[in-house]
Amino acid sequence: MSIRKIVFLGVFIITIGLLSGCKEIEANSAPKLSKICPGEDAKFSIEFFQTNNQGEKYAKGINHTIIFNPKSAALDFKVNVGLSHTIYAKDARGNFRKEYVPKQFREIINDENSTLVGQRPLAAINADYIGTDNKPQGLNISRGVDYSGAFKNKRSSFGISGGKPQERKATIQAGRREANILNYNLVGGNGRFYRQGKFKDICQDLGEFACKQATNRSMVAITNKGYVILLVNDSKASNIDFSPVNQELLPDKFDDVLEGIARINCLGKIQEGMLFDGGMSPGLYYNQIMYVENFGPIGSVFLIYNK
């Protein structure tokens, strides 16, 4: 090899080494992007994850959880119930038709009434109890249209108000709200276990079956910062690694789970909480995946959409 070629090859190798070193220095000096805690992220809208009974994220956790910001402009909401006809349809006299039929969770989140502006739901959770007449028992309102039952003024309900996204508010209380804008999307439930930030053991109120036998549960909680937690605790879900801190819980044990989720995700403190129908009813769906599904008829479902 000639001297000229040797010199050229040496210069080439040195140049490549310098370029590589510069790139490595540049990469190492680039700012590290850390994930913002959801409750501290102004753009946060919705997230699904599983947790153990301490509220810690765990891929094989029994608590299937959805957290969301009701004020997010990226989200919209609707309530669906089991009907034999199109939701919001009216009869010849101009009254809303309410011909109820039994529908399971999978049916009620996939029928024609589950769409909003042509969009399929991003997320869904079972809600109200259902009567022997297939009618939901509590207060259920879908986009301002009432599909309530006999206990609408006696049991608590969960809802997201109407209005502009930045004006939306999540509420849990018994009966209709005084401000009509709050009575836009509501679903019934039973068993209010948080009131104004205080946890209550509601097993005495619910009775033997609800607290000793039907341990699988679905629920909703609202934090003092306005965020919402939807949660299903059910051993029939797949891919669960059972342990003393990862198992089905009775209703008087959910404070650790919810408070852990709220704290870890910077959502604030739990302010209000309510159970949905348990037993054969809990169901949770997110982003085209059915995470929890039971096979009893559903009184109502709460649906979330991407706008």
Side-chain angles (χ1 to χ4, degrees), residues 48 64 105-107 109-110 124 237-238 282-294:
F48 166 84
H64 293 65
F105 186 70
R106 182 178 294 268
E107 296 175 292
I109 69 171
N110 284 296
S238 61
L284 192 75
Y285 169 88
Y286 186 80
N287 197 22
Q288 302 182 27
I289 299 176
M290 192 76 70
Y291 286 95
V292 184
E293 182 179 17
N294 286 266

Side-chain angles (χ1 to χ4, degrees), residues 49-65 231 243 245-246 256-265:
F49 49 82
Q50 292 169 236
T51 81
N52 62 19
N53 291 341
Q54 300 300 314
E56 300 162 334
K57 291 182 180 179
Y58 178 40
K60 295 186 177 182
I62 193 172
N63 300 294
H64 293 65
T65 307
L231 185 147
S243 73
V245 293
N246 196 53
D256 287 343
V257 181
L258 292 169
E259 290 172 9
I261 291 170
R263 183 185 67 256
I264 293 167
N265 294 281

Side-chain angles (χ1 to χ4, degrees), residues 59-274:
K60 295 186 177 182
I62 193 172
N63 300 294
H64 293 65
T65 307
I66 294 171
I67 60 174
F68 69 90
N69 178 10
K71 297 181 184 296
S72 172
L75 302 177
D76 209 344
F77 309 93
K78 181 180 177 179
V79 172
N80 195 18
V81 295
L83 298 169
S84 63
H85 52 80
T86 304
I87 196 169
Y88 317 135
K90 295 182 178 181
D91 60 21
R93 295 184 177 182
N95 299 317
F96 287 103
R97 296 173 60 192
K98 298 177 182 179
E99 299 155 26
Y100 298 99
V101 294
K103 289 187 179 182
Q104 295 176 348
F105 186 70
R106 182 178 294 268
E107 296 175 292
I108 207 168
I109 69 171
N110 284 296
D111 67 15
E112 61 179 341
N113 291 332
S114 67
T115 62
L116 180 63
V117 196
Q119 297 293 317
R120 308 297 310 174
L122 166 68
I125 190 170
N126 78 290
D128 200 14
Y129 295 73
I130 192 169
T132 55
D133 55 357
N134 302 316
K135 184 176 183 178
Q137 295 183 343
L139 181 60
N140 295 278
I141 300 177
S142 180
R143 312 286 291 185
V145 180
D146 197 309
Y147 291 97
S148 300
F151 297 97
K152 63 181 181 181
N153 296 319
K154 297 180 180 180
R155 295 178 181 171
S156 294
S157 56
F158 158 75
I160 303 294
S161 67
K164 298 177 181 178
Q166 63 270 25
E167 299 171 341
R168 292 193 198 119
K169 183 180 180 180
T171 58
I172 293 176
Q173 69 178 68
R176 292 181 67 93
R177 286 53 164 163
E178 290 185 5
N180 197 48
I181 196 172
L182 299 176
N183 300 305
Y184 192 58
N185 285 310
L186 295 172
V187 286
N190 191 34
R192 187 115 160 254
F193 58 94
Y194 270 95
R195 287 177 181 266
Q196 298 180 341
K198 294 183 179 180
F199 180 75
K200 176 186 177 183
D201 179 355
I202 56 173
C203 280
Q204 290 184 346
D205 297 337
L206 293 179
E208 178 73 16
F209 178 77
C211 278
K212 299 299 180 184
Q213 300 179 45
T215 52
N216 55 331
R217 284 289 165 192
S218 55
M219 67 201 70
V220 58
I222 302 171
T223 73
N224 63 348
K225 292 172 67 174
Y227 293 99
V228 177
I229 301 171
L230 302 176
L231 185 147
V232 175
N233 174 277
D234 195 331
S235 64
K236 290 188 288 295
S238 61
N239 195 32
I240 297 174
D241 185 8
F242 294 98
S243 73
V245 293
N246 196 53
Q247 59 184 316
E248 283 191 336
L249 296 174
L250 297 176
D252 62 339
K253 302 296 183 184
F254 282 112
D255 51 335
D256 287 343
V257 181
L258 292 169
E259 290 172 9
I261 291 170
R263 183 185 67 256
I264 293 167
N265 294 281
C266 311
L267 305 179
K269 295 184 180 297
I270 304 296
Q271 189 72 10
E272 302 290 338
M274 182 188 76

